[in-house]
Amino acid sequence: NSILAEFLLILVLICRNYKGDVDMAEIDHFLPLLMTQEEEGLTCPIMSHGNVHFLWIKHTNLYLVATTNKNSNASLVYAFLYKVVEVFTEYFTELEEESIQDNFVVVYELLDELMDFGFPQTTDSKILQEYITQEGTKLEVAKTKVPTTVTNAVSWRSEGIKYKKNEVFIDVIESINLLVNANGSVMSSDIVGTVKLKTMLSGMPELRLGLNDRALFALTGRDKGKTVTMEDVKFHQCVRLSRFESDRTISFIPPDGESELMSYRINTHVKPLIWIESVIEKFSHSRVEIMVKAKGQFKKQSVANNVEVRVPVPSDADSPKFKTSTGHAKYVPEKNLAVWTIKSFPGGKEFLMRASFGLPSVENDEMEGKPPITVNFEIPYFTVSGIQVRYMKIIEKSGYQALPWVRYITQSGDYQLRSNF
């Protein structure tokens, strides 16, 4: 009981009751409920005690818990909790017990600005940092003058921003999720993409982004060149959703600096960009040899960077020896992996890695299961879906000229190939 009480004291480091309709003492029921569920192996992100519901996440050594006695929108609550983590991390670098204890005043200030009477308000850390600072003296002065961004319709961007050189950098980053079975058949695959911006533009510019979106081409009656069908599209709050829904135009006043403009998913059959074949041989219950062949199945003019092939090995393996046609390999015993690293992997090329291990107890092999081979990589100047930025128009009342720069990157997401090990 004493341990539990101490843990509860640590848990309730700080709290804010926005509406006053839930008793502050209700939080005392959270940890016993959580411990009971953990013992039963049934941990749930939403727990209830009477008519009070606890929605929680864990970050480092902290639990962030929202309480409600209504049928609240759970997605909104969780989005808010993760936003709190993001904002606090921006302020304190590391969000943990010590950073909360050292910054009580700032934390309370932030909680009051992030939400009002149970409704999320200003959640952009860049805007918050304009008037909530970590220096106590500045904090008092800042209160007297709230930035116009807080009362402005464009709450994510301050007025009066000036740059000598006006530029916007656009990164289109696609991650491939892929699962290949031991027979070499693709079991599941999809592409998750993000469009990230680094905006260095003066004033309040209006931007319009054009992609080779199939739905847009169908609306306008054009059918030239390759198009893509995007699903699960999510936008930054700066994008005018009504405009996108009516004519698929991505129109917005961008935040200053770095931001994620949008994310999307493309549900399509993806050919493995890096194909892996593996063979394992066992010798007289004392040695095992693994041969892995990697082939680049992408355009010859492209190059995959920092390729990492992670091959599972038996947990009792020892005395590793490696031979590679390129790159280098090492044994990572704490993860039961052989990791083969290739700094530069041109398209259409094949490379080999041979590994030999001592194996004192082959009998344990069947008990361990068969983890998949995983591959990490990054291919610049290439998107597997074929998505393209067709144009970026930048309109500002002063009429300045601005340069848009576009970069494409394809990288591995959850990229797994099961083997016959």
Side-chain angles (χ1 to χ4, degrees):
N1 285 341
S2 62
I3 293 172
L4 185 61
E6 185 180 341
F7 199 92
L8 276 168
L9 285 171
I10 294 171
L11 177 72
V12 189
L13 285 171
I14 200 159
C15 56
R16 183 73 175 84
N17 196 334
Y18 288 104
K19 299 178 80 172
D21 56 351
V22 176
D23 192 324
M24 300 283 268
E26 287 289 342
I27 193 63
D28 294 346
H29 301 292
F30 169 72
L31 196 66
L33 281 170
L34 181 64
M35 292 177 74
T36 302
Q37 287 198 352
E38 285 180 345
E39 285 170 8
E40 296 171 355
L42 299 169
T43 310
C44 180
I46 301 176
M47 300 185 296
S48 300
H49 177 262
N51 68 338
V52 176
H53 311 291
F54 302 98
L55 295 85
W56 63 278
I57 62 172
K58 188 177 182 183
H59 181 83
T60 59
N61 59 351
L62 297 174
Y63 291 95
L64 286 83
V65 187
T67 60
T68 178
N69 58 8
K70 295 182 173 61
N71 185 18
S72 300
N73 183 333
S75 296
L76 175 66
V77 174
Y78 282 111
F80 179 76
L81 289 176
Y82 283 110
K83 197 69 186 177
V84 169
V85 170
E86 184 184 314
V87 170
F88 284 6
T89 304
E90 284 278 330
Y91 267 81
F92 313 131
T93 309
E94 294 290 336
L95 176 55
E96 51 192 20
E97 184 185 338
E98 292 77 13
S99 57
I100 296 292
Q101 289 174 331
D102 293 344
N103 295 280
F104 273 130
V105 175
V106 178
V107 169
Y108 271 117
E109 289 277 343
L110 288 169
L111 290 174
D112 283 340
E113 294 299 332
L114 285 163
M115 182 171 279
D116 184 28
F117 198 65
F119 296 97
Q121 299 296 312
T122 306
T123 58
D124 190 311
S125 58
K126 288 178 185 161
I127 301 302
L128 288 165
Q129 283 170 352
E130 289 186 24
Y131 64 105
I132 296 180
T133 66
Q134 284 172 272
E135 293 82 7
T137 52
K138 285 188 182 177
L139 196 65
E140 296 303 315
V141 174
K143 283 181 188 173
T144 60
K145 187 183 177 184
V146 177
T148 54
T149 45
V150 176
T151 54
N152 188 344
V154 186
S155 61
W156 54 87
R157 185 181 179 90
S158 302
E159 293 181 355
I161 295 170
K162 289 183 181 178
Y163 285 97
K164 285 184 178 179
K165 189 177 182 182
N166 291 289
E167 296 177 300
V168 57
F169 297 86
I170 308 160
D171 280 350
V172 181
I173 303 168
E174 291 192 337
S175 299
I176 300 174
N177 299 319
L178 181 82
L179 176 61
V180 177
N181 69 13
N183 298 322
S185 301
V186 176
M187 302 292 291
S188 65
S189 64
D190 69 356
I191 301 163
V192 177
T194 57
V195 178
K196 296 185 176 182
L197 298 180
K198 184 176 181 182
T199 309
M200 295 187 289
L201 298 171
S202 305
M204 280 284 183
E206 169 90 22
L207 273 60
R208 288 176 197 158
L209 176 67
L211 303 172
N212 56 335
D213 175 9
R214 187 165 297 167
L216 170 64
F217 279 42
L219 271 174
T220 55
R222 286 178 293 176
D223 192 21
K224 293 179 181 178
K226 183 170 182 179
T227 58
V228 295
T229 302
M230 298 183 292
E231 301 174 42
D232 298 339
V233 180
K234 298 183 183 73
F235 288 111
H236 187 280
Q237 63 180 5
C238 66
V239 176
R240 296 182 177 88
L241 293 180
S242 57
R243 180 83 187 267
F244 180 76
E245 286 164 3
S246 65
D247 62 10
R248 305 291 285 190
T249 298
I250 302 171
S251 172
F252 57 99
I253 295 172
D256 187 44
E258 295 181 3
S259 62
E260 184 176 298
L261 179 68
M262 63 180 285
S263 64
Y264 59 89
R265 184 174 61 85
I266 297 175
N267 194 6
T268 183
H269 178 82
V270 179
K271 180 182 176 182
L273 295 180
I274 294 181
W275 181 252
I276 303 292
E277 291 178 17
S278 56
V279 177
I280 186 167
E281 288 186 84
K282 298 170 188 171
F283 298 91
S284 64
H285 288 213
S286 63
R287 187 164 57 92
V288 62
E289 287 192 1
I290 299 169
M291 188 197 78
V292 177
K293 180 168 77 173
K295 182 179 180 182
Q297 298 191 141
F298 49 92
K299 294 176 181 178
K300 289 183 179 178
Q301 58 265 40
S302 295
V303 176
N305 296 328
N306 304 317
V307 177
E308 195 177 76
V309 182
R310 302 163 74 90
V311 183
V313 299
S315 60
D316 53 357
D318 58 22
S319 309
K321 293 178 183 175
F322 296 103
K323 189 176 181 182
T324 62
S325 61
T326 191
H328 67 275
K330 65 178 180 180
Y331 177 41
V332 185
E334 63 273 17
K335 294 183 179 177
N336 301 323
L337 289 174
V339 180
W340 178 20
T341 305
I342 303 168
K343 193 171 183 181
S344 181
F345 196 137
K349 294 285 186 181
E350 284 187 13
F351 299 112
L352 282 174
M353 190 252 319
R354 293 180 185 273
S356 174
F357 294 90
L359 200 61
S361 54
V362 174
E363 290 77 11
N364 291 342
D365 187 43
E366 294 301 316
M367 302 289 288
E368 292 184 356
K370 297 176 179 178
I373 294 173
T374 59
V375 186
N376 296 330
F377 60 85
E378 184 177 281
I379 306 173
Y381 318 114
F382 171 79
T383 57
V384 69
S385 70
I387 195 168
Q388 290 180 338
V389 174
R390 292 173 47 246
Y391 63 82
M392 168 67 89
K393 294 179 180 175
I394 303 164
I395 304 156
E396 214 280 330
K397 61 184 179 183
S398 64
Y400 62 69
Q401 294 296 307
L403 295 170
W405 305 90
V406 184
R407 180 173 62 167
Y408 300 98
I409 299 171
T410 291
Q411 61 189 20
S412 55
D414 187 13
Y415 195 102
Q416 302 184 359
L417 300 99
R418 291 178 180 160
S419 64
N420 287 311
F421 284 11

